Amino acid sequence: MATAKPTPTDSLSFCLAQLTAAAGEGLGGGKDTATNETPLGRALLTLRTRHVKAAGGIERFRARGGLRPLLALLRRASAAGPAPSQVCPGSTPLSVQSAASAGPAPSAGSSPSVASSSSPSPPARLRKTLDLALSILANCCTEGACRAEVRRLGGILPLVTILQYVKTDSIQNRTARALGNLAMEPESCDNIHSAGAVPLLVESLMACQDSQCLQSVVRALRNLADSPQHRLALAQQGAVRPLAELLAAAPDPELTLALVRALLELSRGCSRACAEQLSLGGGLGPLVSLASHPKKAVREVLGLVPLLAGQLCGEAGDEEEEGREAASWDFPEEQTPERVEAGSFRSLRSWLISEGYAAGPGDISPDWSPERCPPLPPPEPAEPASPTRGTALLRTPRALRTPGLGRSPATTEEPWGREGPALLLLSRFSQAPDPSGALVTGPALCGLLAYVTGAPGPPNPRALRILARLTCNPACLEAFVRSYGAALLRAWLVLGVAPDDWPILRARPLSRRSQHQHQHRELGEMLLQNLTVQAESPFGVGALTHLLLSGSPEDRVACALTLPFICRKPSLWRRLLLDQGGLRLLLSALTQPAPHPLFLFFAADSLSCLQGLVSPTRSPALPPAIPLDLDLPSPCLYEPLLGPAPIPDPDLHFLLDSGLRLPAQRAASSTASPFFRALLAGNFAEAQMDLVPLRSLSPSAAWPILHHLHGCRGCGASLGPIPPPGQPLLGSEAEEALEAAGRFLLPRLEEELEEAVGHIHLGPQGSPESVGEVFRLGRPRLAAHCARWTLGPGQCPRKRALALVGLVEAAGEEAGPLTEALLTVVMGIERGGKGLSLDY
């Protein structure tokens, strides 16, 4: 169908002219008999449908000064009622108080005020004008520049007044949407709180029945919870309870998601007022039940799992006990904003008591004696992850077992310290059919692993069962890959490197580190074996193939990195990493922005593991980087020319830029390379000269060249220009000597100099910092030496990762040389004959 041709009255200039006139003269105006509508109505409709929604339309509207008359129009529309006065956050606007003759403004759980209930619906024409104008403003406020200008022009007060006096659902919806968009700016958020919008939004939340309007109001409240002070103000003004009550009423999925997201924001820090309203509104039960919601977006919003994981990490664990008065059935006393996070777990403790998970506050106190530990339910049944392994994979490592685990379920008792409630709830989450969205995440896994490896005594067996259950669940496999969970398990448990240990080794008590290292390694290997069973099953093969070939770029890189940890079948890892390009994908990602804080540590470990899969019979000893004949130098053939009575007499001298003259034999020098043969025995003038200049060559760099010209091979002269470790190689005499060897066509000398660099900087005692320095020389053989030193099977994991960091920094944007060097070493190509061929 053909599109209607724009008329002159559809132009932006016409629309702005009508908007300006209406803002100055009033909202009425004559009716256009041809279209049966006012010019203002036509202009607003055209602005919304044609101009604001067009590409760049919002910017053009703002640049042409459209926001000022639009806000003036809304200001005239709001003039029917008294404007709210400037008040502090948490109080009620004076206009609301004056309009309601029956007392104070509404609070949570009360009925709407007299003013709101008695406000008549605006005339149809005014209502249509407001709808269009508010829709245009809400769309404009999706851009930051417009939000700033609306705030500068004082556009927030008219919106609050309209929210107060015009109770039509469509107008409330668009007003709340505009306020929610404006609240994305911290300055605007402050102004909205100060204007007294929160009680009006709460009132709309309780009075409105339209789902779209409710979603806009809920989103506005969520955006207004941008700081601890604002969250506290929202809770004190009763914003939490109606949200919880709406959630308990089981609304439609879209509104449910909006409510859960809002409660997540408002409950950060969980003040006393927030915890009380959340409990009284019946929101805790629905929140817990939503952990198994079919929509992933709803499951992943629970804020509860990060809270529990943070408790295991100790983030909220060092609070002082408040005495016997605090350990009561009442909610704890409100803390200052700096201590607000600590209150969240205290509120959780009260809820655990009320729900019967604990008999009293003492059960959860850290100083609760073991004699009074309440018996917990029997251990959760182990669900087999695959028919080939069954429940055997849910075993607990022997070294981490506690004496009570051998008893019957009826008499089983487990430690119930501060971590007990958190582990209990996390265990419930882990038993959901698909707990991946909540538990197989970086924060949740870090919390569990921090507890398991950092507990002063044997960890609670429930934490071990949670980890085992997650690794045995096929539904969690992709999440372990996407979140780098498998790499984290290996680094933290098997290699003993926690995130806090990287890149600087954290000082920890040696006794604890050595005492539990073996137990943690056993646990890590068991968990990785569980993931291997899932990965090599038909379901796992399909999931990994889909991730590698059809996933997002981030998922594909994570899959390629994880495969060496969880795939042991050669047919599987060869197909995914070699035939389908996973290895090159991983190597190319090294020089890109890191998708994970430990990405380079994981990548170094992954490449080393893959090298072990390719060459499983390699000796664990680090291979020498250079031949051993440099340690036993051969006789020098150039020294006889340097003494006071040279034998034989030199028939040629080379003149350096410094004025130094070096003796030489013409015949020996002519046969060393095509360059010197043409220079000294050809048709050049130097062939007839006894003093031949060698330009751009320092004495130290010339020394190995003169030795090489006279037949020295491995006499030690090539070590002369090499600086000691710790000093830069770029710009050094070593780089000068390498450049001169190439310029004079002396490939054997180039190789000898490169081996000398490797001997000094890449020996068994070399440091990771030297690897990047050597790579910066830009020579392929040295790049291969660097990769071999980095991925050597006997290398320390931390040194390996630090060396890879140096290589990535040295490579910069030129990823090709680094990729080829690592590929050569990983696949064993440089060892001759037995390397695997790669077809890409």
Side-chain angles (χ1 to χ4, degrees), residues 158-171:
L159 291 174
V160 175
T161 304
I162 292 172
L163 189 70
Q164 177 179 355
Y165 287 104
V166 185
K167 297 301 179 180
T168 306
D169 282 352
S170 63
I171 294 177

Side-chain angles (χ1 to χ4, degrees), residues 616-631:
T617 59
R618 290 191 61 180
S619 170
L622 188 66
I626 61 168
L628 297 178
D629 55 4
L630 283 179
D631 295 328

Side-chain angles (χ1 to χ4, degrees), residues 370-371 373-376 402-405 407-416 461:
E371 291 77 14
C373 288
L376 296 181
T402 57
L405 289 180
R407 289 178 279 177
S408 63
T411 61
T412 296
E413 294 184 2
E414 296 177 356
W416 186 261

